[in-house]
Short mmCIF file of all heavy atoms in Angstrom, two decimals:
data_model
loop_
_atom_site.label_atom_id
_atom_site.label_comp_id
_atom_site.label_asym_id
_atom_site.label_seq_id
_atom_site.Cartn_x
_atom_site.Cartn_y
_atom_site.Cartn_z
N TYR A 222 5.37 5.94 2.78
CA TYR A 222 6.25 4.78 2.67
C TYR A 222 5.57 3.52 3.24
O TYR A 222 4.66 3.61 4.07
CB TYR A 222 7.54 5.01 3.46
CG TYR A 222 8.27 6.27 3.06
CD1 TYR A 222 8.11 7.44 3.79
CD2 TYR A 222 9.11 6.29 1.96
CE1 TYR A 222 8.78 8.60 3.43
CE2 TYR A 222 9.78 7.43 1.59
CZ TYR A 222 9.61 8.59 2.33
OH TYR A 222 10.27 9.74 1.97
N LEU A 223 6.05 2.38 2.79
CA LEU A 223 5.68 1.12 3.40
C LEU A 223 6.95 0.31 3.56
O LEU A 223 7.50 -0.20 2.58
CB LEU A 223 4.66 0.35 2.55
CG LEU A 223 4.13 -0.93 3.20
CD1 LEU A 223 3.27 -0.59 4.43
CD2 LEU A 223 3.32 -1.76 2.21
N GLN A 224 7.42 0.22 4.79
CA GLN A 224 8.59 -0.60 5.10
C GLN A 224 8.11 -2.02 5.33
O GLN A 224 7.30 -2.26 6.23
CB GLN A 224 9.32 -0.07 6.33
CG GLN A 224 10.51 -0.91 6.75
CD GLN A 224 11.64 -0.87 5.73
OE1 GLN A 224 11.96 0.17 5.20
NE2 GLN A 224 12.23 -2.04 5.46
N MET A 225 8.60 -2.94 4.54
CA MET A 225 8.16 -4.33 4.62
C MET A 225 9.34 -5.20 5.03
O MET A 225 10.33 -5.30 4.30
CB MET A 225 7.61 -4.79 3.27
CG MET A 225 6.49 -3.91 2.75
SD MET A 225 5.74 -4.55 1.22
CE MET A 225 7.12 -4.40 0.10
N ASN A 226 9.23 -5.80 6.20
CA ASN A 226 10.27 -6.68 6.73
C ASN A 226 9.76 -8.11 6.81
O ASN A 226 8.56 -8.36 6.80
CB ASN A 226 10.70 -6.21 8.11
CG ASN A 226 11.31 -4.82 8.09
OD1 ASN A 226 11.91 -4.39 7.10
ND2 ASN A 226 11.14 -4.09 9.18
N LYS A 227 10.69 -9.03 6.91
CA LYS A 227 10.35 -10.46 7.06
C LYS A 227 9.33 -10.87 6.00
O LYS A 227 8.31 -11.49 6.32
CB LYS A 227 9.83 -10.73 8.46
CG LYS A 227 10.81 -10.41 9.56
CD LYS A 227 10.23 -10.67 10.94
CE LYS A 227 11.22 -10.31 12.03
NZ LYS A 227 10.65 -10.53 13.39
N LEU A 228 9.62 -10.55 4.76
CA LEU A 228 8.68 -10.83 3.69
C LEU A 228 8.48 -12.32 3.49
O LEU A 228 9.40 -13.13 3.68
CB LEU A 228 9.15 -10.18 2.39
CG LEU A 228 8.90 -8.67 2.32
CD1 LEU A 228 9.76 -8.02 1.26
CD2 LEU A 228 7.42 -8.40 2.06
N LYS A 229 7.26 -12.67 3.11
CA LYS A 229 6.86 -14.05 2.88
C LYS A 229 6.36 -14.20 1.45
O LYS A 229 5.91 -13.22 0.84
CB LYS A 229 5.74 -14.43 3.85
CG LYS A 229 6.05 -14.21 5.31
CD LYS A 229 4.83 -14.50 6.17
CE LYS A 229 5.11 -14.28 7.64
NZ LYS A 229 3.91 -14.55 8.48
N PRO A 230 6.38 -15.42 0.92
CA PRO A 230 5.85 -15.61 -0.44
C PRO A 230 4.41 -15.13 -0.59
O PRO A 230 4.04 -14.63 -1.67
CB PRO A 230 5.96 -17.13 -0.63
CG PRO A 230 7.12 -17.52 0.22
CD PRO A 230 7.03 -16.63 1.44
N GLU A 231 3.63 -15.24 0.46
CA GLU A 231 2.22 -14.80 0.38
C GLU A 231 2.08 -13.29 0.34
O GLU A 231 0.97 -12.78 0.14
CB GLU A 231 1.41 -15.38 1.54
CG GLU A 231 2.01 -15.17 2.92
CD GLU A 231 2.80 -16.38 3.38
OE1 GLU A 231 3.58 -16.94 2.58
OE2 GLU A 231 2.65 -16.76 4.57
N ASP A 232 3.18 -12.56 0.49
CA ASP A 232 3.15 -11.11 0.31
C ASP A 232 3.29 -10.72 -1.16
O ASP A 232 3.17 -9.54 -1.50
CB ASP A 232 4.27 -10.44 1.10
CG ASP A 232 4.12 -10.60 2.60
OD1 ASP A 232 2.98 -10.45 3.10
OD2 ASP A 232 5.13 -10.87 3.28
N THR A 233 3.55 -11.69 -2.00
CA THR A 233 3.68 -11.42 -3.43
C THR A 233 2.39 -10.84 -3.98
O THR A 233 1.31 -11.43 -3.84
CB THR A 233 4.03 -12.70 -4.19
OG1 THR A 233 5.34 -13.14 -3.77
CG2 THR A 233 4.04 -12.47 -5.69
N ALA A 234 2.50 -9.68 -4.62
CA ALA A 234 1.32 -8.98 -5.13
C ALA A 234 1.76 -7.70 -5.83
O ALA A 234 2.92 -7.28 -5.71
CB ALA A 234 0.35 -8.64 -4.00
N VAL A 235 0.83 -7.08 -6.50
CA VAL A 235 1.01 -5.70 -6.95
C VAL A 235 0.51 -4.80 -5.83
O VAL A 235 -0.61 -4.98 -5.34
CB VAL A 235 0.23 -5.42 -8.25
CG1 VAL A 235 0.39 -3.96 -8.64
CG2 VAL A 235 0.70 -6.33 -9.37
N TYR A 236 1.35 -3.88 -5.41
CA TYR A 236 1.02 -2.99 -4.30
C TYR A 236 0.61 -1.63 -4.86
O TYR A 236 1.32 -1.04 -5.69
CB TYR A 236 2.21 -2.85 -3.37
CG TYR A 236 2.38 -4.06 -2.48
CD1 TYR A 236 2.81 -5.28 -2.99
CD2 TYR A 236 2.08 -3.99 -1.12
CE1 TYR A 236 2.93 -6.39 -2.18
CE2 TYR A 236 2.21 -5.10 -0.30
CZ TYR A 236 2.64 -6.30 -0.84
OH TYR A 236 2.76 -7.40 -0.03
N TYR A 237 -0.52 -1.14 -4.37
CA TYR A 237 -1.09 0.12 -4.83
C TYR A 237 -1.11 1.15 -3.71
O TYR A 237 -1.47 0.85 -2.57
CB TYR A 237 -2.52 -0.09 -5.33
CG TYR A 237 -2.63 -0.99 -6.54
CD1 TYR A 237 -2.83 -2.35 -6.38
CD2 TYR A 237 -2.55 -0.47 -7.82
CE1 TYR A 237 -2.94 -3.19 -7.48
CE2 TYR A 237 -2.67 -1.29 -8.93
CZ TYR A 237 -2.85 -2.65 -8.75
OH TYR A 237 -2.97 -3.47 -9.85
N CYS A 238 -0.78 2.36 -4.08
CA CYS A 238 -0.89 3.51 -3.19
C CYS A 238 -2.23 4.19 -3.48
O CYS A 238 -2.64 4.26 -4.65
CB CYS A 238 0.27 4.46 -3.47
SG CYS A 238 0.12 6.11 -2.81
N ALA A 239 -2.88 4.69 -2.45
CA ALA A 239 -4.16 5.35 -2.63
C ALA A 239 -4.28 6.55 -1.70
O ALA A 239 -3.71 6.55 -0.61
CB ALA A 239 -5.31 4.37 -2.38
N ALA A 240 -5.05 7.54 -2.15
CA ALA A 240 -5.24 8.77 -1.38
C ALA A 240 -6.70 9.17 -1.39
O ALA A 240 -7.40 8.99 -2.40
CB ALA A 240 -4.39 9.89 -1.95
N GLY A 241 -7.16 9.73 -0.28
CA GLY A 241 -8.51 10.24 -0.21
C GLY A 241 -8.57 11.46 0.69
O GLY A 241 -7.89 11.49 1.73
N PRO A 242 -9.34 12.48 0.35
CA PRO A 242 -9.43 13.68 1.20
C PRO A 242 -10.07 13.34 2.55
O PRO A 242 -11.03 12.58 2.62
CB PRO A 242 -10.30 14.62 0.38
CG PRO A 242 -11.08 13.73 -0.53
CD PRO A 242 -10.21 12.57 -0.82
N LEU A 243 -9.52 13.92 3.61
CA LEU A 243 -10.01 13.65 4.95
C LEU A 243 -11.27 14.44 5.29
O LEU A 243 -12.10 13.98 6.07
CB LEU A 243 -8.92 13.99 5.96
CG LEU A 243 -7.69 13.09 5.93
CD1 LEU A 243 -6.54 13.73 6.68
CD2 LEU A 243 -8.01 11.73 6.53
N PHE A 244 -11.42 15.61 4.69
CA PHE A 244 -12.52 16.50 5.06
C PHE A 244 -13.87 15.85 4.81
O PHE A 244 -14.14 15.33 3.73
CB PHE A 244 -12.42 17.80 4.28
CG PHE A 244 -13.52 18.78 4.60
CD1 PHE A 244 -13.48 19.52 5.77
CD2 PHE A 244 -14.61 18.94 3.76
CE1 PHE A 244 -14.49 20.40 6.10
CE2 PHE A 244 -15.63 19.82 4.07
CZ PHE A 244 -15.56 20.56 5.23
N GLY A 245 -14.71 15.88 5.84
CA GLY A 245 -16.07 15.39 5.69
C GLY A 245 -16.22 13.89 5.67
O GLY A 245 -17.30 13.37 5.37
N ARG A 246 -15.16 13.19 6.02
CA ARG A 246 -15.21 11.73 5.98
C ARG A 246 -15.02 11.15 7.37
O ARG A 246 -14.51 11.80 8.27
CB ARG A 246 -14.16 11.20 5.01
CG ARG A 246 -14.44 11.66 3.58
CD ARG A 246 -13.66 10.92 2.56
NE ARG A 246 -14.07 11.35 1.22
CZ ARG A 246 -13.58 10.86 0.11
NH1 ARG A 246 -12.65 9.90 0.15
NH2 ARG A 246 -14.00 11.29 -1.05
N PRO A 247 -15.42 9.89 7.55
CA PRO A 247 -15.26 9.25 8.86
C PRO A 247 -13.78 9.14 9.25
O PRO A 247 -12.89 9.36 8.42
CB PRO A 247 -15.85 7.85 8.65
CG PRO A 247 -16.58 7.88 7.36
CD PRO A 247 -16.03 9.00 6.56
N GLU A 248 -13.57 8.76 10.49
CA GLU A 248 -12.21 8.51 10.95
C GLU A 248 -11.58 7.44 10.06
O GLU A 248 -12.23 6.47 9.67
CB GLU A 248 -12.25 8.02 12.40
CG GLU A 248 -10.91 7.98 13.08
CD GLU A 248 -11.04 7.60 14.55
OE1 GLU A 248 -12.16 7.66 15.09
OE2 GLU A 248 -10.02 7.22 15.14
N ILE A 249 -10.32 7.60 9.78
CA ILE A 249 -9.69 6.77 8.76
C ILE A 249 -9.68 5.29 9.11
O ILE A 249 -9.59 4.43 8.23
CB ILE A 249 -8.26 7.29 8.48
CG1 ILE A 249 -7.77 6.77 7.13
CG2 ILE A 249 -7.31 6.94 9.62
CD1 ILE A 249 -6.53 7.44 6.63
N ARG A 250 -9.81 4.96 10.38
CA ARG A 250 -9.82 3.55 10.75
C ARG A 250 -11.02 2.82 10.13
O ARG A 250 -11.02 1.60 10.02
CB ARG A 250 -9.87 3.39 12.27
CG ARG A 250 -11.19 3.70 12.91
CD ARG A 250 -11.20 3.35 14.38
NE ARG A 250 -10.31 4.18 15.16
CZ ARG A 250 -10.00 3.96 16.44
NH1 ARG A 250 -10.49 2.90 17.05
NH2 ARG A 250 -9.21 4.76 17.09
N HIS A 251 -12.03 3.59 9.75
CA HIS A 251 -13.25 3.01 9.18
C HIS A 251 -13.24 3.03 7.66
O HIS A 251 -14.21 2.60 7.04
CB HIS A 251 -14.47 3.75 9.70
CG HIS A 251 -14.60 3.74 11.18
ND1 HIS A 251 -14.71 2.57 11.90
CD2 HIS A 251 -14.63 4.75 12.09
CE1 HIS A 251 -14.80 2.86 13.19
NE2 HIS A 251 -14.75 4.16 13.33
N TRP A 252 -12.16 3.51 7.05
CA TRP A 252 -12.15 3.64 5.60
C TRP A 252 -12.04 2.30 4.91
O TRP A 252 -11.29 1.42 5.32
CB TRP A 252 -10.98 4.51 5.17
CG TRP A 252 -11.19 5.97 5.37
CD1 TRP A 252 -12.07 6.56 6.25
CD2 TRP A 252 -10.52 7.02 4.69
NE1 TRP A 252 -11.96 7.92 6.14
CE2 TRP A 252 -11.04 8.24 5.21
CE3 TRP A 252 -9.54 7.06 3.71
CZ2 TRP A 252 -10.60 9.48 4.76
CZ3 TRP A 252 -9.10 8.30 3.26
CH2 TRP A 252 -9.63 9.49 3.78
N GLY A 253 -12.79 2.21 3.81
CA GLY A 253 -12.63 1.11 2.88
C GLY A 253 -12.12 1.65 1.56
O GLY A 253 -11.87 2.84 1.43
N PRO A 254 -11.97 0.77 0.57
CA PRO A 254 -11.44 1.21 -0.73
C PRO A 254 -12.22 2.38 -1.33
O PRO A 254 -11.63 3.23 -2.02
CB PRO A 254 -11.56 -0.04 -1.60
CG PRO A 254 -11.51 -1.17 -0.64
CD PRO A 254 -12.21 -0.67 0.60
N ASN A 255 -13.52 2.45 -1.07
CA ASN A 255 -14.34 3.51 -1.67
C ASN A 255 -14.01 4.90 -1.13
O ASN A 255 -14.41 5.91 -1.71
CB ASN A 255 -15.82 3.22 -1.45
CG ASN A 255 -16.30 2.04 -2.27
OD1 ASN A 255 -15.68 1.68 -3.27
ND2 ASN A 255 -17.39 1.42 -1.84
N ASN A 256 -13.29 4.98 0.00
CA ASN A 256 -12.92 6.28 0.55
C ASN A 256 -11.66 6.85 -0.11
O ASN A 256 -11.29 7.99 0.14
CB ASN A 256 -12.67 6.17 2.05
CG ASN A 256 -13.96 5.92 2.82
OD1 ASN A 256 -14.18 4.83 3.33
ND2 ASN A 256 -14.83 6.92 2.89
N PHE A 257 -11.01 6.03 -0.91
CA PHE A 257 -9.79 6.47 -1.59
C PHE A 257 -10.14 6.84 -3.03
O PHE A 257 -10.59 6.01 -3.81
CB PHE A 257 -8.73 5.37 -1.56
CG PHE A 257 -8.22 5.08 -0.18
CD1 PHE A 257 -8.81 4.10 0.61
CD2 PHE A 257 -7.16 5.79 0.34
CE1 PHE A 257 -8.35 3.85 1.89
CE2 PHE A 257 -6.68 5.54 1.62
CZ PHE A 257 -7.28 4.56 2.40
N ASP A 258 -9.95 8.11 -3.36
CA ASP A 258 -10.34 8.63 -4.67
C ASP A 258 -9.25 8.50 -5.72
O ASP A 258 -9.54 8.50 -6.92
CB ASP A 258 -10.72 10.10 -4.55
CG ASP A 258 -11.93 10.30 -3.65
OD1 ASP A 258 -12.74 9.37 -3.53
OD2 ASP A 258 -12.05 11.39 -3.05
N TYR A 259 -8.00 8.43 -5.28
CA TYR A 259 -6.88 8.47 -6.22
C TYR A 259 -5.98 7.27 -5.99
O TYR A 259 -5.60 6.96 -4.85
CB TYR A 259 -6.10 9.77 -6.04
CG TYR A 259 -6.97 10.99 -6.09
CD1 TYR A 259 -7.32 11.68 -4.93
CD2 TYR A 259 -7.48 11.45 -7.30
CE1 TYR A 259 -8.15 12.78 -4.96
CE2 TYR A 259 -8.31 12.56 -7.35
CZ TYR A 259 -8.64 13.21 -6.19
OH TYR A 259 -9.47 14.31 -6.23
N TRP A 260 -5.66 6.61 -7.09
CA TRP A 260 -4.89 5.37 -7.03
C TRP A 260 -3.69 5.45 -7.98
O TRP A 260 -3.78 6.03 -9.06
CB TRP A 260 -5.77 4.18 -7.44
CG TRP A 260 -6.88 3.91 -6.48
CD1 TRP A 260 -8.08 4.57 -6.39
CD2 TRP A 260 -6.91 2.90 -5.47
NE1 TRP A 260 -8.84 4.04 -5.37
CE2 TRP A 260 -8.15 3.00 -4.80
CE3 TRP A 260 -6.02 1.91 -5.07
CZ2 TRP A 260 -8.51 2.16 -3.74
CZ3 TRP A 260 -6.38 1.08 -4.03
CH2 TRP A 260 -7.61 1.20 -3.37
N GLY A 261 -2.60 4.81 -7.57
CA GLY A 261 -1.46 4.69 -8.45
C GLY A 261 -1.59 3.49 -9.37
O GLY A 261 -2.58 2.76 -9.31
N GLN A 262 -0.57 3.30 -10.20
CA GLN A 262 -0.58 2.21 -11.16
C GLN A 262 -0.09 0.90 -10.56
O GLN A 262 -0.26 -0.16 -11.17
CB GLN A 262 0.28 2.59 -12.36
CG GLN A 262 -0.28 3.74 -13.16
CD GLN A 262 -1.65 3.43 -13.71
OE1 GLN A 262 -1.86 2.42 -14.38
NE2 GLN A 262 -2.63 4.29 -13.43
#
């Protein structure tokens, strides 16, 4: 989930969900888009 409060006009965008396997990868705080293998529409 993503609970979004106090929304602003600059939050306007298409929001994408992404998933990536944790095994063998760095700590998630260091992840960039390339660590996410699966994306929604």
Side-chain angles (χ1 to χ4, degrees):
Y222 305 97
L223 185 68
Q224 178 66 43
M225 304 185 295
N226 298 330
K227 300 179 181 179
L228 283 162
K229 305 175 180 180
E231 50 264 44
D232 295 317
T233 295
V235 177
Y236 283 71
Y237 296 91
C238 165
L243 292 165
F244 180 77
R246 296 194 175 181
E248 191 175 345
I249 199 168
R250 74 172 67 189
H251 301 301
W252 283 22
N255 290 339
N256 290 109
F257 293 92
D258 297 333
Y259 308 104
W260 294 80
Q262 294 300 306

